Amino acid sequence: MPLPTIDDIRAAAERLRPHAVRTPLLESNRLNDQLGGRVLLKLETLQRTGTFKFRGAYNKISRLSKVAHPGGVVAASSGNHAQGVADAARMMGLAAAIVMPSQAPALKIARTKALGAEVILYDRDSDDREAIFALVARERGAVMVPPFDDPEIMAGQGTVGLELMAQAEAMGALPDLVLAPCGGGGLISGVAIAVRAANPKAQVIAIEPYGFDDTTRSLASGRIESNARPSGSICDALLSPSPGKLTFAACRDQSVTGAVVSEQQVRQAMRFAFQELKLVVEPGGAVGLAALLSGTVPLNGQTVAVVLSGGNVDPGLFAEILNGS
Amino acid sequence: MPLPTIDDIRAAAERLRPHAVRTPLLESNRLNDQLGGRVLLKLETLQRTGTFKFRGAYNKISRLSKVAHPGGVVAASSGNHAQGVADAARMMGLAAAIVMPSQAPALKIARTKALGAEVILYDRDSDDREAIFALVARERGAVMVPPFDDPEIMAGQGTVGLELMAQAEAMGALPDLVLAPCGGGGLISGVAIAVRAANPKAQVIAIEPYGFDDTTRSLASGRIESNARPSGSICDALLSPSPGKLTFAACRDQSVTGAVVSEQQVRQAMRFAFQELKLVVEPGGAVGLAALLSGTVPLNGQTVAVVLSGGNVDPGLFAEILNGS
């Protein structure tokens, strides 16, 4: 399959315009002062379903129809892609079956059901997700909606980058650095294509949690690397075992690099977002902010745009993090 | 003193433009579906210092100078006005002394100090705030910055209404209803003047917490009424004993009405904001949302704009509310 182009991302933006939230790009004086540069935050936490995932799902699913695709759609997801697919399918009148790990946050499972999807649970540590996914697709004749390694998904997520560069320009800013969380790479690859079409000198950095740095290592070695474990990070949205073929190729084309943050840095970033920014950010959504606050990615007076990619966090975990435990 | 006019509010907006955040007006599909109407949220939680209070404080303090006002400024506040004044004074190079109740949230006291102000604590239940305030002003020769009953403060807060009507128009929406939290009435009076200049048919509603419904009762009786108690609500930002002379007169001119919500409804609204909107809203900032979610203000298919006025809430209290206790 070909990689998406900037024109594919522009077409996705047109498709999404009536339905997706044009999320704010917020400049934080507090962060500017603290970090010594200009910090712009892209609030995908305020997107439909609470994460950027609606963009890619809708871009793909809006081209299907109930008549041509009576089996509906099927997706495998730890939670955020699930909600994006369920919401987009419901808008198109299509049935949605979602294969989810039983270890996913309870909130994400409940919300996927609330959006009208059928949820099929599996055990992340013992079951074969791909086999279950393929079986459901075959039995129902459902269209598979992959979480990231798909040109239409990548183009949809890339609209985050298209928007943020236009919003930055309207604020008189040109980002030197763009940071986004990275699981399988759908967001970072789409964002990289869009950002570098607007500013070819911009450096795009994929931020990953410790122990799940498959993309960072792949970009350093030049070939697709995998994580040692399938689970075990607070960043439940970023646990893909390895980058996709397409997402990796697109990141390489755009000279994306990677950086890694610790769980402690993620928790601190979530507390900072609560206290200083008044924003609810889920662990996987806060890794970019964590990379800045911890100095993992130094700012050095530059202008940086950071994607806060989602806000779906269980209240119990959030309370625990606020209490510093 | 004369009431502020729409021209005063426009002039305040010009003054604030380079310094205040033009906070987003967010449409929530989730709320539209649930309430059966069109719901626009004005996110003053994302304003400098975490509340709208910076607007009024800066509008007043930016006209002072270090040379003409060597004694700086003094304000009495439970916390949010304190931070607005401290931030604005610091920007103008003026000293700021803030008289705060020792019962104010620890976070608000700490942040006021962090903004460079000197904090003078008093006991809300036993000490005479006005006497302490006047003493400090006299001793230092400081300019008093009142929390609400002042034309420049009201005009500054009114820029919230000016912005939201312009943003709504850009979204193809004309609010029938505008809801804002009400303590002493600086925000609601300024917003009412701005909103009704844009749409004279709009109904502006002051939302107050149970037991602190002085403005609601005053607007119903036609004369200034007081609260029975000085403290005892989770909504620490809304505990003024009675509306001001100017704020009351402005509200009456603009046919503002009042509505009251319970503490339970406020807690539910804060949980809703966390879970569905990914926003941190403090108790006093959430009363407008509480009025809608509880049906206290019915929507009936109309378009409503709700000001979420602030997000300065102690992490411990927020965690307790998330846990439902």
Side-chain angles (χ1 to χ4, degrees):
Chain A
M1 275 189 287
L3 296 178
T5 65
I6 184 66
D7 289 332
D8 294 325
I9 295 172
R10 292 198 182 109
E14 283 306 310
R15 232 166 263 133
L16 284 164
R17 196 184 305 279
H19 305 293
V21 178
R22 191 171 195 263
T23 57
L25 185 70
L26 185 76
E27 180 159 10
S28 164
N29 285 82
R30 181 75 174 74
L31 279 169
N32 290 356
D33 292 348
Q34 181 168 333
L35 298 174
R38 193 163 179 190
V39 184
L40 311 172
L41 303 168
K42 180 66 171 162
L43 306 188
E44 281 295 293
T45 53
L46 306 184
Q47 188 51 265
R48 282 182 80 109
T49 75
T51 77
F52 72 95
K53 289 281 191 178
F54 173 76
R55 295 175 183 262
Y58 185 81
N59 188 45
K60 188 171 186 72
I61 293 171
S62 63
R63 303 196 207 178
L64 309 178
S65 76
K66 202 169 174 174
V67 175
H69 307 90
V73 297
V74 58
S77 163
S78 63
N80 284 336
H81 178 54
Q83 291 177 64
V85 169
D87 195 23
R90 188 177 60 162
M91 288 169 74
M92 299 303 299
L94 294 165
I98 313 286
V99 179
M100 294 183 81
S102 53
Q103 294 93 337
L107 180 66
K108 292 185 178 179
I109 295 174
R111 297 173 72 91
T112 304
K113 289 180 180 170
L115 287 165
E118 180 186 352
V119 172
I120 299 158
L121 295 175
Y122 75 97
D123 187 294
R124 188 185 258 150
D125 293 318
S126 60
D127 294 344
D128 182 344
R129 174 170 93 163
E130 295 310 313
I132 296 170
F133 183 37
L135 181 71
V136 172
R138 200 170 57 238
E139 276 182 351
R140 305 183 181 209
V143 177
M144 292 196 279
V145 183
F148 51 83
D149 211 28
D150 177 288
E152 292 173 324
I153 298 290
M154 292 160 70
Q157 321 304 33
T159 61
V160 172
L162 199 67
E163 272 179 25
L164 83 79
M165 292 304 278
Q167 291 167 314
E169 192 183 353
M171 294 160 72
L174 181 68
D176 306 298
L177 298 173
V178 176
L179 276 53
C182 180
L187 176 64
I188 193 76
S189 61
V191 163
I193 294 166
V195 164
R196 289 172 56 101
N199 178 16
K201 289 184 189 162
Q203 177 64 45
V204 179
I205 309 180
I207 314 295
E208 296 181 295
Y210 183 81
F212 296 84
D213 58 347
D214 48 304
T215 292
T216 300
R217 286 184 290 111
S218 300
L219 290 168
S221 74
R223 62 188 189 84
I224 290 178
E225 311 271 356
S226 295
N227 296 317
R229 292 171 302 156
S231 63
S233 166
I234 193 177
C235 300
D236 60 278
L238 304 180
L239 305 186
S240 305
S242 58
K245 279 182 188 145
L246 298 178
T247 57
F248 175 63
C251 285
R252 227 173 28 169
D253 281 2
Q254 303 300 336
S255 306
V256 173
T257 55
V260 180
V261 293
S262 72
E263 179 162 327
Q264 211 43 50
Q265 290 166 342
V266 169
R267 287 174 180 257
Q268 279 166 7
M270 289 174 69
R271 279 193 290 269
F272 184 95
F274 165 83
Q275 193 141 317
E276 306 296 336
L277 308 172
K278 319 304 176 191
L279 296 171
V280 177
V281 189
E282 66 179 277
V287 293
L289 182 59
L292 278 186
L293 289 172
S294 63
T296 304
V297 173
L299 195 47
N300 297 329
Q302 298 174 96
T303 296
V304 63
V306 186
V307 181
L308 303 183
S309 57
N312 293 326
V313 50
D314 272 336
L317 175 62
F318 198 77
E320 177 203 310
I321 289 170
L322 287 192
N323 287 327
S325 56
Chain B
M1 273 187 289
L3 296 178
T5 65
I6 183 67
D7 288 333
D8 294 324
I9 296 173
R10 291 198 183 108
E14 282 308 310
R15 231 166 264 132
L16 284 163
R17 196 184 305 281
H19 304 294
V21 178
R22 192 173 196 260
T23 58
L25 186 70
L26 186 76
E27 180 159 13
S28 164
N29 285 82
R30 180 75 174 76
L31 279 170
N32 290 356
D33 292 349
Q34 180 168 332
L35 299 174
R38 194 164 179 188
V39 183
L40 310 173
L41 303 168
K42 181 65 171 163
L43 307 188
E44 282 295 294
T45 53
L46 306 185
Q47 188 52 267
R48 282 182 81 110
T49 72
T51 78
F52 71 95
K53 289 281 192 179
F54 173 76
R55 296 174 184 261
Y58 185 82
N59 188 45
K60 189 170 185 73
I61 294 171
S62 64
R63 303 195 208 179
L64 308 178
S65 75
K66 201 168 175 175
V67 174
H69 307 90
V73 297
V74 59
S77 162
S78 64
N80 285 335
H81 178 55
Q83 290 177 64
V85 169
D87 195 23
R90 189 177 58 161
M91 288 167 74
M92 299 303 299
L94 293 166
I98 313 285
V99 179
M100 295 183 79
S102 53
Q103 294 92 336
L107 181 66
K108 292 185 179 179
I109 296 175
R111 297 173 73 90
T112 304
K113 289 180 182 171
L115 287 165
E118 180 187 352
V119 172
I120 299 158
L121 294 175
Y122 74 97
D123 188 294
R124 185 186 260 147
D125 294 318
S126 60
D127 294 344
D128 182 346
R129 175 170 92 164
E130 296 310 314
I132 296 170
F133 184 38
L135 181 71
V136 172
R138 200 171 55 239
E139 277 183 349
R140 303 182 183 212
V143 177
M144 291 197 277
V145 183
F148 50 85
D149 212 30
D150 177 286
E152 292 172 323
I153 298 289
M154 292 161 71
Q157 322 302 32
T159 60
V160 173
L162 198 68
E163 271 180 27
L164 82 80
M165 293 304 277
Q167 291 168 312
E169 192 182 354
M171 295 160 71
L174 182 68
D176 306 298
L177 298 173
V178 176
L179 276 55
C182 181
L187 177 64
I188 193 76
S189 60
V191 164
I193 294 166
V195 164
R196 287 170 58 100
N199 177 17
K201 291 183 186 163
Q203 177 63 46
V204 179
I205 309 180
I207 314 295
E208 296 182 296
Y210 182 81
F212 296 84
D213 58 347
D214 48 303
T215 292
T216 299
R217 285 184 290 109
S218 301
L219 290 168
S221 73
R223 61 188 190 84
I224 289 179
E225 311 270 357
S226 295
N227 296 319
R229 292 171 302 156
S231 63
S233 166
I234 192 176
C235 299
D236 60 277
L238 305 180
L239 305 187
S240 304
S242 58
K245 280 182 187 144
L246 299 177
T247 58
F248 175 64
C251 284
R252 226 171 32 166
D253 281 1
Q254 303 300 336
S255 306
V256 173
T257 55
V260 180
V261 293
S262 72
E263 178 161 329
Q264 211 43 52
Q265 289 166 342
V266 169
R267 287 173 180 258
Q268 279 166 7
M270 289 175 69
R271 279 194 290 269
F272 184 95
F274 165 82
Q275 193 141 317
E276 306 295 337
L277 307 172
K278 320 303 175 192
L279 296 171
V280 176
V281 190
E282 66 179 277
V287 293
L289 182 60
L292 277 186
L293 289 172
S294 62
T296 304
V297 173
L299 194 47
N300 297 327
Q302 297 174 98
T303 297
V304 63
V306 186
V307 181
L308 303 183
S309 56
N312 291 328
V313 50
D314 271 335
L317 174 62
F318 197 77
E320 177 204 309
I321 289 171
L322 287 191
N323 287 327
S325 57

